[in-house]
Amino acid sequence: MRVFQNGGLYPSYVPRLNGLARGASGFEARRRAFLDDRFGALHFLAPVLEGDAQAFFTNADDEVLQRHWARENGLKAAISLEDILLAQIEHHGTEVFYNLDPIRFGSTFVRKLPGCVRKSVCWRAAPSGRADLTAYDAILGNFPSILDAWRGQGCRAELFFPAIDPVMAEYERGDRTIDVLFVGGYSKHHSTRARVLERVAQLATRFRVVYCLDTSRLTRLAESPLGRLLPLRKHRRPAAIAQIAQPPVFGRELYGLLGQSKIVLNGAIDMAGRDRGNMRCFEAMGCGALLVSDAGSYPAGMKADETMLAYESADNGADVIAGALDRWPRSAELALEGRAQLSSLYSKSRQWQCFVDLVAQL
């Protein structure tokens, strides 16, 4: 199977990528810098990570990367990013197109795919407004309620999961010096999460609590000297959070922090409903940390009091974390069991086989 996987860059990650790829002289060098950093690797299929000749990967929204490819393949300087992607697919002789960025490349794009493409699938595990993805042969995701919503729009939707990145084993450590870690966004879409973060931040008087926050532009403005003169109080982070906040981390830097942490705090965004199992859950447990997350419906391998811990409210979340740290030897056993179960259930080989089987049924 000749599979083409298209990713997408998170805006806050771009400065890190540019630093890692500084001096990269072409498409392959910049792509290798990205893939070696493992950002988003839980979504990347095994042939991509293994460098299989039949698999091709790109980030079609990375203009620097795509312009490298266009120049190296004799395309006109003014060509659009969409047309570069179409040229890459045709050049590769793609049979299956797997898109991780379907909002940017929706049904209109799929209808332009060259004739070599037999099947097109995409990943989407978030609400998507009025996005049209009906031209895809299937939409993949790990949140059942969101898949049901796509089915209601006439799309075929199939359950599919991230997979543990094999290099996570390099970051598992016995001496975990961070008691509680949170890495994620902080904005108006995270009101429930924000209450939990504030309450847990107050544990910093007893434990080492680290927050690496990707804040919204409005929050950054509200906390600036100018913003403090404006009526933006509701957009400022509480003092307990602001005092321990650090910049966001990505890729192998994230793996390193997860590997140093006893507990990783997670909180679903307000739009997630009762479905649980976002990327941070897989990343935390994959690096051997104890996941503490909000109660809800989790995928297999994530079970409260057996492989992770769950909280019901902001106050309860802080109590659960404090209790787990006070009983750390027992809590560490839960983390080990969680790592073992996820490694078995969500391996890269199993993910690839599930993908092959799914495509064969379309």
Side-chain angles (χ1 to χ4, degrees), residues 6-53:
N6 175 53
L9 296 181
Y10 189 63
S12 297
Y13 175 72
V14 174
R16 175 174 171 83
L17 174 59
N18 288 338
L20 293 170
R22 187 176 293 114
S25 59
F27 176 82
E28 182 55 36
R30 185 174 175 89
R31 180 174 64 176
R32 179 48 49 198
F34 172 79
L35 290 174
D36 285 349
D37 195 38
R38 315 305 282 194
F39 177 70
L42 278 73
H43 284 303
F44 301 160
L45 300 172
V48 166
L49 294 177
E50 294 166 0
D52 190 310

mmCIF file of all heavy atoms in Angstrom, residues 6-53:
data_model
loop_
_atom_site.group_PDB
_atom_site.id
_atom_site.type_symbol
_atom_site.label_atom_id
_atom_site.label_comp_id
_atom_site.label_asym_id
_atom_site.label_seq_id
_atom_site.Cartn_x
_atom_site.Cartn_y
_atom_site.Cartn_z
ATOM 1 N N ASN A 6 -0.491 13.319 5.542
ATOM 2 C CA ASN A 6 -0.291 14.760 5.671
ATOM 3 C C ASN A 6 -0.572 15.192 7.101
ATOM 4 O O ASN A 6 -1.632 14.888 7.650
ATOM 5 C CB ASN A 6 -1.216 15.522 4.720
ATOM 6 C CG ASN A 6 -1.105 17.025 4.927
ATOM 7 O OD1 ASN A 6 -0.008 17.577 4.896
ATOM 8 N ND2 ASN A 6 -2.229 17.682 5.181
ATOM 9 N N GLY A 7 0.373 15.892 7.694
ATOM 10 C CA GLY A 7 0.196 16.407 9.050
ATOM 11 C C GLY A 7 -0.188 17.871 9.033
ATOM 12 O O GLY A 7 -0.800 18.367 8.090
ATOM 13 N N GLY A 8 0.200 18.553 10.079
ATOM 14 C CA GLY A 8 -0.095 19.979 10.196
ATOM 15 C C GLY A 8 0.645 20.540 11.387
ATOM 16 O O GLY A 8 0.829 19.849 12.397
ATOM 17 N N LEU A 9 1.095 21.781 11.285
ATOM 18 C CA LEU A 9 1.881 22.394 12.348
ATOM 19 C C LEU A 9 1.003 23.189 13.309
ATOM 20 O O LEU A 9 0.136 23.953 12.880
ATOM 21 C CB LEU A 9 2.942 23.318 11.757
ATOM 22 C CG LEU A 9 4.013 22.643 10.891
ATOM 23 C CD1 LEU A 9 5.014 23.692 10.405
ATOM 24 C CD2 LEU A 9 4.712 21.533 11.647
ATOM 25 N N TYR A 10 1.223 22.995 14.585
ATOM 26 C CA TYR A 10 0.583 23.811 15.614
ATOM 27 C C TYR A 10 1.340 25.131 15.673
ATOM 28 O O TYR A 10 2.578 25.138 15.747
ATOM 29 C CB TYR A 10 0.660 23.068 16.950
ATOM 30 C CG TYR A 10 -0.135 23.664 18.065
ATOM 31 C CD1 TYR A 10 -1.518 23.755 17.994
ATOM 32 C CD2 TYR A 10 0.501 24.118 19.229
ATOM 33 C CE1 TYR A 10 -2.248 24.296 19.034
ATOM 34 C CE2 TYR A 10 -0.219 24.656 20.269
ATOM 35 C CZ TYR A 10 -1.594 24.746 20.170
ATOM 36 O OH TYR A 10 -2.319 25.289 21.203
ATOM 37 N N PRO A 11 0.657 26.267 15.601
ATOM 38 C CA PRO A 11 1.376 27.549 15.491
ATOM 39 C C PRO A 11 2.456 27.766 16.543
ATOM 40 O O PRO A 11 3.548 28.252 16.217
ATOM 41 C CB PRO A 11 0.246 28.581 15.617
ATOM 42 C CG PRO A 11 -0.957 27.871 15.083
ATOM 43 C CD PRO A 11 -0.808 26.445 15.518
ATOM 44 N N SER A 12 2.176 27.392 17.794
ATOM 45 C CA SER A 12 3.164 27.624 18.847
ATOM 46 C C SER A 12 4.389 26.731 18.714
ATOM 47 O O SER A 12 5.420 26.988 19.347
ATOM 48 C CB SER A 12 2.517 27.403 20.219
ATOM 49 O OG SER A 12 1.486 28.339 20.447
ATOM 50 N N TYR A 13 4.265 25.677 17.905
ATOM 51 C CA TYR A 13 5.398 24.762 17.714
ATOM 52 C C TYR A 13 6.372 25.263 16.655
ATOM 53 O O TYR A 13 7.545 24.882 16.661
ATOM 54 C CB TYR A 13 4.877 23.374 17.321
ATOM 55 C CG TYR A 13 5.967 22.384 16.976
ATOM 56 C CD1 TYR A 13 6.788 21.860 17.970
ATOM 57 C CD2 TYR A 13 6.182 21.991 15.658
ATOM 58 C CE1 TYR A 13 7.803 20.962 17.655
ATOM 59 C CE2 TYR A 13 7.190 21.091 15.333
ATOM 60 C CZ TYR A 13 8.003 20.581 16.338
ATOM 61 O OH TYR A 13 9.000 19.696 16.031
ATOM 62 N N VAL A 14 5.915 26.116 15.752
ATOM 63 C CA VAL A 14 6.728 26.528 14.611
ATOM 64 C C VAL A 14 8.081 27.119 15.018
ATOM 65 O O VAL A 14 9.114 26.776 14.417
ATOM 66 C CB VAL A 14 5.944 27.503 13.710
ATOM 67 C CG1 VAL A 14 6.835 28.063 12.601
ATOM 68 C CG2 VAL A 14 4.731 26.793 13.106
ATOM 69 N N PRO A 15 8.162 27.998 16.026
ATOM 70 C CA PRO A 15 9.486 28.517 16.402
ATOM 71 C C PRO A 15 10.465 27.408 16.805
ATOM 72 O O PRO A 15 11.654 27.480 16.482
ATOM 73 C CB PRO A 15 9.183 29.453 17.582
ATOM 74 C CG PRO A 15 7.772 29.897 17.347
ATOM 75 C CD PRO A 15 7.088 28.686 16.779
ATOM 76 N N ARG A 16 9.963 26.385 17.501
ATOM 77 C CA ARG A 16 10.847 25.272 17.871
ATOM 78 C C ARG A 16 11.334 24.539 16.617
ATOM 79 O O ARG A 16 12.518 24.227 16.494
ATOM 80 C CB ARG A 16 10.136 24.307 18.813
ATOM 81 C CG ARG A 16 10.958 23.054 19.139
ATOM 82 C CD ARG A 16 10.287 22.178 20.189
ATOM 83 N NE ARG A 16 10.961 20.897 20.338
ATOM 84 C CZ ARG A 16 12.043 20.684 21.083
ATOM 85 N NH1 ARG A 16 12.589 21.707 21.728
ATOM 86 N NH2 ARG A 16 12.589 19.483 21.171
ATOM 87 N N LEU A 17 10.425 24.268 15.699
ATOM 88 C CA LEU A 17 10.813 23.575 14.471
ATOM 89 C C LEU A 17 11.848 24.383 13.699
ATOM 90 O O LEU A 17 12.843 23.826 13.201
ATOM 91 C CB LEU A 17 9.585 23.316 13.601
ATOM 92 C CG LEU A 17 9.864 22.734 12.211
ATOM 93 C CD1 LEU A 17 10.600 21.406 12.307
ATOM 94 C CD2 LEU A 17 8.560 22.578 11.423
ATOM 95 N N ASN A 18 11.625 25.680 13.599
ATOM 96 C CA ASN A 18 12.579 26.512 12.864
ATOM 97 C C ASN A 18 13.962 26.457 13.496
ATOM 98 O O ASN A 18 14.984 26.472 12.802
ATOM 99 C CB ASN A 18 12.078 27.954 12.794
ATOM 100 C CG ASN A 18 10.892 28.105 11.852
ATOM 101 O OD1 ASN A 18 10.679 27.280 10.955
ATOM 102 N ND2 ASN A 18 10.105 29.150 12.048
ATOM 103 N N GLY A 19 13.990 26.384 14.824
ATOM 104 C CA GLY A 19 15.278 26.256 15.502
ATOM 105 C C GLY A 19 15.934 24.916 15.237
ATOM 106 O O GLY A 19 17.133 24.833 14.956
ATOM 107 N N LEU A 20 15.144 23.849 15.312
ATOM 108 C CA LEU A 20 15.680 22.509 15.068
ATOM 109 C C LEU A 20 16.167 22.343 13.637
ATOM 110 O O LEU A 20 17.127 21.614 13.381
ATOM 111 C CB LEU A 20 14.601 21.464 15.365
ATOM 112 C CG LEU A 20 14.174 21.319 16.824
ATOM 113 C CD1 LEU A 20 12.938 20.430 16.929
ATOM 114 C CD2 LEU A 20 15.300 20.746 17.669
ATOM 115 N N ALA A 21 15.473 23.019 12.707
ATOM 116 C CA ALA A 21 15.797 22.874 11.286
ATOM 117 C C ALA A 21 16.725 23.973 10.783
ATOM 118 O O ALA A 21 16.931 24.094 9.576
ATOM 119 C CB ALA A 21 14.505 22.862 10.464
ATOM 120 N N ARG A 22 17.277 24.753 11.698
ATOM 121 C CA ARG A 22 18.178 25.826 11.268
ATOM 122 C C ARG A 22 19.350 25.223 10.495
ATOM 123 O O ARG A 22 20.024 24.298 10.962
ATOM 124 C CB ARG A 22 18.693 26.606 12.477
ATOM 125 C CG ARG A 22 19.514 27.854 12.109
ATOM 126 C CD ARG A 22 19.915 28.639 13.344
ATOM 127 N NE ARG A 22 18.745 29.218 14.000
ATOM 128 C CZ ARG A 22 18.310 28.867 15.210
ATOM 129 N NH1 ARG A 22 18.925 27.898 15.874
ATOM 130 N NH2 ARG A 22 17.253 29.444 15.744
ATOM 131 N N GLY A 23 19.563 25.707 9.323
ATOM 132 C CA GLY A 23 20.637 25.171 8.489
ATOM 133 C C GLY A 23 20.215 24.016 7.604
ATOM 134 O O GLY A 23 21.014 23.554 6.783
ATOM 135 N N ALA A 24 18.961 23.546 7.755
ATOM 136 C CA ALA A 24 18.475 22.463 6.893
ATOM 137 C C ALA A 24 18.457 22.952 5.448
ATOM 138 O O ALA A 24 17.863 23.984 5.136
ATOM 139 C CB ALA A 24 17.084 22.032 7.333
ATOM 140 N N SER A 25 19.082 22.198 4.558
ATOM 141 C CA SER A 25 19.300 22.688 3.196
ATOM 142 C C SER A 25 18.245 22.267 2.194
ATOM 143 O O SER A 25 18.314 22.637 1.029
ATOM 144 C CB SER A 25 20.669 22.204 2.705
ATOM 145 O OG SER A 25 20.724 20.780 2.741
ATOM 146 N N GLY A 26 17.260 21.483 2.616
ATOM 147 C CA GLY A 26 16.260 21.050 1.659
ATOM 148 C C GLY A 26 15.089 20.375 2.325
ATOM 149 O O GLY A 26 14.971 20.331 3.556
ATOM 150 N N PHE A 27 14.198 19.832 1.486
ATOM 151 C CA PHE A 27 12.967 19.210 1.979
ATOM 152 C C PHE A 27 13.257 18.068 2.950
ATOM 153 O O PHE A 27 12.716 18.039 4.053
ATOM 154 C CB PHE A 27 12.156 18.691 0.781
ATOM 155 C CG PHE A 27 10.907 17.945 1.181
ATOM 156 C CD1 PHE A 27 9.746 18.625 1.500
ATOM 157 C CD2 PHE A 27 10.901 16.556 1.228
ATOM 158 C CE1 PHE A 27 8.593 17.939 1.878
ATOM 159 C CE2 PHE A 27 9.755 15.852 1.594
ATOM 160 C CZ PHE A 27 8.600 16.547 1.924
ATOM 161 N N GLU A 28 14.095 17.146 2.566
ATOM 162 C CA GLU A 28 14.331 15.968 3.396
ATOM 163 C C GLU A 28 14.958 16.347 4.738
ATOM 164 O O GLU A 28 14.607 15.780 5.773
ATOM 165 C CB GLU A 28 15.205 14.950 2.666
ATOM 166 C CG GLU A 28 15.455 13.669 3.457
ATOM 167 C CD GLU A 28 14.174 12.989 3.916
ATOM 168 O OE1 GLU A 28 13.165 13.011 3.168
ATOM 169 O OE2 GLU A 28 14.163 12.436 5.040
ATOM 170 N N ALA A 29 15.863 17.308 4.740
ATOM 171 C CA ALA A 29 16.523 17.702 5.980
ATOM 172 C C ALA A 29 15.535 18.331 6.948
ATOM 173 O O ALA A 29 15.558 18.048 8.150
ATOM 174 C CB ALA A 29 17.668 18.671 5.683
ATOM 175 N N ARG A 30 14.652 19.207 6.437
ATOM 176 C CA ARG A 30 13.677 19.841 7.327
ATOM 177 C C ARG A 30 12.638 18.819 7.794
ATOM 178 O O ARG A 30 12.239 18.823 8.956
ATOM 179 C CB ARG A 30 12.992 21.006 6.631
ATOM 180 C CG ARG A 30 12.032 21.783 7.562
ATOM 181 C CD ARG A 30 11.483 23.014 6.872
ATOM 182 N NE ARG A 30 10.472 23.703 7.677
ATOM 183 C CZ ARG A 30 10.737 24.659 8.578
ATOM 184 N NH1 ARG A 30 11.989 25.026 8.806
ATOM 185 N NH2 ARG A 30 9.756 25.239 9.249
ATOM 186 N N ARG A 31 12.192 17.949 6.896
ATOM 187 C CA ARG A 31 11.231 16.915 7.300
ATOM 188 C C ARG A 31 11.843 15.996 8.350
ATOM 189 O O ARG A 31 11.173 15.622 9.319
ATOM 190 C CB ARG A 31 10.773 16.108 6.092
ATOM 191 C CG ARG A 31 9.760 15.020 6.452
ATOM 192 C CD ARG A 31 9.199 14.319 5.241
ATOM 193 N NE ARG A 31 10.215 13.570 4.494
ATOM 194 C CZ ARG A 31 9.946 12.812 3.441
ATOM 195 N NH1 ARG A 31 8.707 12.715 2.984
ATOM 196 N NH2 ARG A 31 10.920 12.175 2.812
ATOM 197 N N ARG A 32 13.110 15.635 8.176
ATOM 198 C CA ARG A 32 13.766 14.768 9.149
ATOM 199 C C ARG A 32 13.874 15.445 10.507
ATOM 200 O O ARG A 32 13.685 14.806 11.550
ATOM 201 C CB ARG A 32 15.147 14.367 8.624
ATOM 202 C CG ARG A 32 15.977 13.484 9.551
ATOM 203 C CD ARG A 32 15.203 12.304 10.098
ATOM 204 N NE ARG A 32 14.496 11.557 9.065
ATOM 205 C CZ ARG A 32 13.507 10.715 9.310
ATOM 206 N NH1 ARG A 32 13.075 10.546 10.558
ATOM 207 N NH2 ARG A 32 12.908 10.067 8.345
ATOM 208 N N ALA A 33 14.168 16.743 10.522
ATOM 209 C CA ALA A 33 14.228 17.473 11.796
ATOM 210 C C ALA A 33 12.880 17.407 12.504
ATOM 211 O O ALA A 33 12.814 17.237 13.735
ATOM 212 C CB ALA A 33 14.638 18.929 11.545
ATOM 213 N N PHE A 34 11.807 17.537 11.740
ATOM 214 C CA PHE A 34 10.473 17.467 12.328
ATOM 215 C C PHE A 34 10.173 16.067 12.853
ATOM 216 O O PHE A 34 9.776 15.893 14.011
ATOM 217 C CB PHE A 34 9.414 17.872 11.297
ATOM 218 C CG PHE A 34 8.006 17.643 11.768
ATOM 219 C CD1 PHE A 34 7.395 18.531 12.629
ATOM 220 C CD2 PHE A 34 7.296 16.516 11.362
ATOM 221 C CE1 PHE A 34 6.101 18.313 13.090
ATOM 222 C CE2 PHE A 34 6.002 16.290 11.803
ATOM 223 C CZ PHE A 34 5.409 17.192 12.678
ATOM 224 N N LEU A 35 10.352 15.053 12.031
ATOM 225 C CA LEU A 35 10.013 13.686 12.441
ATOM 226 C C LEU A 35 10.879 13.220 13.603
ATOM 227 O O LEU A 35 10.406 12.510 14.493
ATOM 228 C CB LEU A 35 10.137 12.736 11.258
ATOM 229 C CG LEU A 35 9.075 12.884 10.160
ATOM 230 C CD1 LEU A 35 9.397 11.990 8.974
ATOM 231 C CD2 LEU A 35 7.676 12.576 10.702
ATOM 232 N N ASP A 36 12.137 13.625 13.636
ATOM 233 C CA ASP A 36 13.020 13.219 14.737
ATOM 234 C C ASP A 36 12.600 13.838 16.064
ATOM 235 O O ASP A 36 12.882 13.275 17.125
ATOM 236 C CB ASP A 36 14.471 13.624 14.428
ATOM 237 C CG ASP A 36 15.117 12.713 13.394
ATOM 238 O OD1 ASP A 36 14.524 11.662 13.072
ATOM 239 O OD2 ASP A 36 16.209 13.066 12.898
ATOM 240 N N ASP A 37 11.909 14.956 16.012
ATOM 241 C CA ASP A 37 11.457 15.605 17.252
ATOM 242 C C ASP A 37 10.208 14.949 17.819
ATOM 243 O O ASP A 37 9.833 15.224 18.954
ATOM 244 C CB ASP A 37 11.206 17.095 17.004
ATOM 245 C CG ASP A 37 11.094 17.888 18.300
ATOM 246 O OD1 ASP A 37 11.844 17.582 19.245
ATOM 247 O OD2 ASP A 37 10.247 18.803 18.373
ATOM 248 N N ARG A 38 9.520 14.135 17.020
ATOM 249 C CA ARG A 38 8.391 13.298 17.446
ATOM 250 C C ARG A 38 7.123 14.072 17.781
ATOM 251 O O ARG A 38 6.187 13.499 18.325
ATOM 252 C CB ARG A 38 8.781 12.429 18.649
ATOM 253 C CG ARG A 38 10.112 11.748 18.547
ATOM 254 C CD ARG A 38 10.279 10.912 17.305
ATOM 255 N NE ARG A 38 9.605 9.610 17.378
ATOM 256 C CZ ARG A 38 9.825 8.614 16.543
ATOM 257 N NH1 ARG A 38 10.698 8.767 15.551
ATOM 258 N NH2 ARG A 38 9.165 7.490 16.654
ATOM 259 N N PHE A 39 7.046 15.339 17.406
ATOM 260 C CA PHE A 39 5.822 16.092 17.669
ATOM 261 C C PHE A 39 4.671 15.499 16.857
ATOM 262 O O PHE A 39 4.721 15.454 15.632
ATOM 263 C CB PHE A 39 6.018 17.565 17.302
ATOM 264 C CG PHE A 39 4.782 18.402 17.481
ATOM 265 C CD1 PHE A 39 4.298 18.693 18.739
ATOM 266 C CD2 PHE A 39 4.089 18.903 16.385
ATOM 267 C CE1 PHE A 39 3.159 19.467 18.914
ATOM 268 C CE2 PHE A 39 2.948 19.675 16.542
ATOM 269 C CZ PHE A 39 2.484 19.954 17.814
ATOM 270 N N GLY A 40 3.644 15.013 17.556
ATOM 271 C CA GLY A 40 2.502 14.401 16.890
ATOM 272 C C GLY A 40 2.717 12.958 16.491
ATOM 273 O O GLY A 40 1.881 12.373 15.792
ATOM 274 N N ALA A 41 3.830 12.342 16.936
ATOM 275 C CA ALA A 41 4.197 11.005 16.461
ATOM 276 C C ALA A 41 3.179 9.934 16.824
ATOM 277 O O ALA A 41 3.145 8.877 16.177
ATOM 278 C CB ALA A 41 5.576 10.616 16.994
ATOM 279 N N LEU A 42 2.362 10.155 17.832
ATOM 280 C CA LEU A 42 1.358 9.153 18.193
ATOM 281 C C LEU A 42 0.359 8.944 17.059
ATOM 282 O O LEU A 42 -0.285 7.895 16.979
ATOM 283 C CB LEU A 42 0.628 9.548 19.475
ATOM 284 C CG LEU A 42 1.357 9.197 20.780
ATOM 285 C CD1 LEU A 42 2.547 10.132 20.997
ATOM 286 C CD2 LEU A 42 0.423 9.276 21.979
ATOM 287 N N HIS A 43 0.243 9.932 16.170
ATOM 288 C CA HIS A 43 -0.669 9.828 15.026
ATOM 289 C C HIS A 43 0.008 9.287 13.771
ATOM 290 O O HIS A 43 -0.682 8.933 12.815
ATOM 291 C CB HIS A 43 -1.256 11.192 14.694
ATOM 292 C CG HIS A 43 -2.331 11.636 15.635
ATOM 293 N ND1 HIS A 43 -3.466 10.900 15.882
ATOM 294 C CD2 HIS A 43 -2.440 12.761 16.393
ATOM 295 C CE1 HIS A 43 -4.224 11.546 16.750
ATOM 296 N NE2 HIS A 43 -3.630 12.666 17.070
ATOM 297 N N PHE A 44 1.321 9.256 13.746
ATOM 298 C CA PHE A 44 2.015 8.907 12.511
ATOM 299 C C PHE A 44 2.092 7.390 12.368
ATOM 300 O O PHE A 44 2.470 6.675 13.289
ATOM 301 C CB PHE A 44 3.415 9.515 12.477
ATOM 302 C CG PHE A 44 3.424 11.024 12.596
ATOM 303 C CD1 PHE A 44 4.558 11.701 12.998
ATOM 304 C CD2 PHE A 44 2.281 11.762 12.313
ATOM 305 C CE1 PHE A 44 4.561 13.089 13.110
ATOM 306 C CE2 PHE A 44 2.271 13.145 12.423
ATOM 307 C CZ PHE A 44 3.412 13.808 12.830
ATOM 308 N N LEU A 45 1.748 6.912 11.195
ATOM 309 C CA LEU A 45 1.732 5.478 10.937
ATOM 310 C C LEU A 45 3.141 4.897 10.931
ATOM 311 O O LEU A 45 4.113 5.585 10.595
ATOM 312 C CB LEU A 45 1.047 5.220 9.599
ATOM 313 C CG LEU A 45 -0.414 5.694 9.504
ATOM 314 C CD1 LEU A 45 -0.922 5.565 8.076
ATOM 315 C CD2 LEU A 45 -1.313 4.917 10.473
ATOM 316 N N ALA A 46 3.233 3.631 11.302
ATOM 317 C CA ALA A 46 4.537 2.974 11.429
ATOM 318 C C ALA A 46 5.411 3.115 10.186
ATOM 319 O O ALA A 46 6.612 3.411 10.306
ATOM 320 C CB ALA A 46 4.336 1.505 11.794
ATOM 321 N N PRO A 47 4.887 2.914 8.962
ATOM 322 C CA PRO A 47 5.758 3.059 7.785
ATOM 323 C C PRO A 47 6.386 4.444 7.656
ATOM 324 O O PRO A 47 7.502 4.570 7.150
ATOM 325 C CB PRO A 47 4.810 2.762 6.618
ATOM 326 C CG PRO A 47 3.750 1.892 7.211
ATOM 327 C CD PRO A 47 3.547 2.432 8.595
ATOM 328 N N VAL A 48 5.671 5.483 8.099
ATOM 329 C CA VAL A 48 6.223 6.842 8.060
ATOM 330 C C VAL A 48 7.404 6.944 9.008
ATOM 331 O O VAL A 48 8.489 7.427 8.653
ATOM 332 C CB VAL A 48 5.136 7.876 8.420
ATOM 333 C CG1 VAL A 48 5.760 9.238 8.711
ATOM 334 C CG2 VAL A 48 4.113 7.993 7.295
ATOM 335 N N LEU A 49 7.222 6.498 10.249
ATOM 336 C CA LEU A 49 8.275 6.610 11.251
ATOM 337 C C LEU A 49 9.463 5.709 10.925
ATOM 338 O O LEU A 49 10.600 6.006 11.301
ATOM 339 C CB LEU A 49 7.719 6.267 12.631
ATOM 340 C CG LEU A 49 6.674 7.247 13.183
ATOM 341 C CD1 LEU A 49 6.150 6.763 14.523
ATOM 342 C CD2 LEU A 49 7.256 8.651 13.322
ATOM 343 N N GLU A 50 9.209 4.616 10.217
ATOM 344 C CA GLU A 50 10.285 3.677 9.874
ATOM 345 C C GLU A 50 10.982 4.014 8.568
ATOM 346 O O GLU A 50 11.948 3.346 8.178
ATOM 347 C CB GLU A 50 9.702 2.258 9.803
ATOM 348 C CG GLU A 50 9.205 1.746 11.148
ATOM 349 C CD GLU A 50 8.344 0.508 11.033
ATOM 350 O OE1 GLU A 50 8.124 0.042 9.875
ATOM 351 O OE2 GLU A 50 7.874 0.002 12.063
ATOM 352 N N GLY A 51 10.506 5.045 7.874
ATOM 353 C CA GLY A 51 11.133 5.448 6.625
ATOM 354 C C GLY A 51 10.859 4.509 5.467
ATOM 355 O O GLY A 51 11.643 4.427 4.513
ATOM 356 N N ASP A 52 9.738 3.818 5.499
ATOM 357 C CA ASP A 52 9.366 2.894 4.422
ATOM 358 C C ASP A 52 9.247 3.663 3.102
ATOM 359 O O ASP A 52 8.617 4.720 3.035
ATOM 360 C CB ASP A 52 8.027 2.244 4.772
ATOM 361 C CG ASP A 52 7.668 1.093 3.846
ATOM 362 O OD1 ASP A 52 7.733 1.278 2.614
ATOM 363 O OD2 ASP A 52 7.295 0.023 4.352
ATOM 364 N N ALA A 53 9.810 3.102 2.044
ATOM 365 C CA ALA A 53 9.821 3.773 0.737
ATOM 366 C C ALA A 53 8.429 3.952 0.158
ATOM 367 O O ALA A 53 8.207 4.835 -0.682
ATOM 368 C CB ALA A 53 10.692 2.986 -0.247
#
